């Protein structure tokens, strides 16, 4: 690909990242998995995208929203959204974005409080903590052995009661996001729950609705940024016509 065109694309992607704080990084890779443009600028490795399952799935025509995982590059929990880019009826590239779970937690879950002690968190598969106010609990393999977390990950929807570390009885109400397979939960002391029961239910529904919308919103934002570039032919049109893509 033309480095000058790639630089132009990277500058536009930089604006996309600046205007959409959910995006940690946005990348466009050609059909071989070679990075054409990225924001923020950084060395991702020559075949970094090609090694990823979401790239291969997107190149086959699938819109992909990954489950939560621990990124080896930044050692943080992330979700990746990937979508194929087509030109003249042929898939020529993949555009994908990574979103740090901490950003989603701070925007959606952290503001939720029930009574004095209640809060929201999220569990991924197979029962590992992926979003929580206590960062030390995130992606700790030992937590997945807890029967509570395994039950949440397996059932997806439900509630249960159990003792907290302080000995108080607590109730957890949880629902699974069908896109990311994360289980979003709200926890509160049972002594506070009846005075705030309506709030807990409404809040949980709102949290799940926001979570479910994340994939669709990010896909829309990604393609809204990509299509004008492709239509102007900044990167792919010249190379497609020359057979270099």
């Amino acid at each position: 690909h033309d480095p000058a065109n790639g630089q132009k694309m990277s500058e536009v992607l930089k604006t996309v990242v600046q205007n959409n704080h959910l995006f940690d990084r946005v990348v466009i890779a050609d059909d071989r998995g070679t990075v054409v443009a990225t924001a923020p600028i950084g060395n991702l490795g020559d075949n970094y995208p090609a090694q990823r399952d979401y790239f291969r799935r997107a190149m086959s025509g699938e819109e992909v929203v990954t489950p939560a995982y621990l990124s080896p590059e930044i050692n943080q929990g992330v979700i990746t959204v990937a979508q194929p880019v087509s030109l003249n009826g042929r898939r020529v590239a993949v555009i994908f974005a990574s979103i740090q779970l901490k950003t989603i937690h701070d925007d959606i879950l952290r503001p939720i409080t029930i009574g004095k002690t209640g809060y929201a968190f999220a569990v991924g598969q197979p029962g590992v903590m992926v979003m929580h106010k206590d960062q030390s609990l995130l992606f700790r393999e030992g937590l997945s052995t807890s029967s509570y977390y395994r039950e949440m990950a397996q059932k997806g929807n439900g509630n249960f009661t159990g003792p907290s570390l302080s000995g108080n009885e607590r109730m957890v109400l949880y629902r699974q996001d069908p896109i990311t397979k994360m289980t979003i939960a709200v926890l509160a002391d049972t002594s506070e729950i009846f005075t705030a029961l309506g709030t807990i239910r409404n809040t949980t529904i709102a949290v799940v609705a926001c979570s479910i919308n994340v994939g669709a919103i990010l896909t829309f934002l990604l393609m809204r940024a990509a299509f004008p570039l492709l239509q102007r032919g900044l990167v792919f049109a010249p190379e497609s016509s020359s057979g270099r893509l």
Side-chain angles (χ1 to χ4, degrees):
H1 61 270
D2 185 342
N5 285 337
Q7 186 175 0
K8 292 178 183 178
M9 181 77 83
S10 292
E11 287 299 317
V12 176
L13 294 186
K14 179 180 178 181
T15 302
V16 173
V17 172
Q18 290 173 342
N19 293 339
N20 299 276
H21 77 284
L22 280 176
F23 296 149
D24 180 58
R25 179 180 293 277
V26 181
V27 178
I28 296 180
D30 67 17
D31 55 356
R32 296 185 300 271
T34 302
V35 174
V36 173
T38 178
I41 299 296
N43 182 16
L44 300 180
D46 291 339
N47 61 349
Y48 158 79
Q51 299 172 349
R52 300 299 192 261
D53 178 65
Y54 56 75
F55 173 81
R56 293 189 291 269
R57 289 166 59 191
M59 276 304 301
S60 71
E62 185 179 349
E63 295 180 2
V64 183
V65 180
T66 70
Y69 65 96
L70 188 64
S71 168
E73 286 80 26
I74 61 175
N75 197 34
Q76 295 287 333
V78 299
I79 292 173
T80 296
V81 179
Q83 180 151 344
V85 177
S86 297
L87 188 67
N88 299 325
R90 185 168 69 92
R91 285 188 288 275
V92 296
V94 170
I95 181 169
F96 59 93
S98 61
I99 305 95
Q100 288 197 34
L101 293 175
K102 185 179 185 303
T103 303
I104 300 176
H105 176 266
D106 290 349
D107 281 6
I108 299 175
L109 300 190
R110 185 179 289 278
I112 295 171
T113 57
I114 305 297
K116 296 180 179 179
T117 60
Y119 60 92
F121 61 95
V123 174
Q125 300 293 335
V128 65
M129 190 75 70
V130 296
M131 288 191 283
H132 195 280
K133 64 180 183 178
D134 183 350
Q135 299 289 297
S136 69
L137 300 178
L138 302 181
F139 292 93
R140 278 176 47 183
E141 293 185 4
L143 289 178
S144 64
T145 62
S146 165
S147 60
Y148 292 139
Y149 300 135
R150 285 203 312 272
E151 175 185 337
M152 291 170 61
Q154 291 168 2
K155 289 187 175 181
N157 303 310
N159 62 80
F160 62 84
T161 58
S164 67
L165 293 177
S166 62
N168 296 330
E169 186 176 65
R170 288 185 163 185
M171 176 177 283
V172 178
L173 181 64
Y174 57 94
R175 297 288 183 272
Q176 192 170 89
D177 174 351
I179 296 179
T180 63
K181 302 303 181 185
M182 286 190 299
T183 301
I184 314 295
V186 176
L187 172 152
D189 284 356
T190 54
S191 61
E192 300 174 343
I193 232 168
F194 294 105
T195 58
L197 187 57
T199 303
I200 293 172
R201 286 176 174 166
N202 292 336
T203 299
T204 303
I205 292 171
V207 168
V208 173
C210 290
S211 178
I212 289 172
N213 285 332
V214 166
I217 291 170
L218 291 174
T219 298
F220 168 76
L221 291 173
L222 279 173
M223 297 317 296
R224 185 180 68 176
F227 279 135
L229 292 171
L230 297 178
Q231 289 167 354
R232 291 200 300 268
L234 290 182
V235 174
F236 298 114
E239 301 195 352
S240 177
S241 62
S242 65
R244 287 183 286 145
L245 268 181

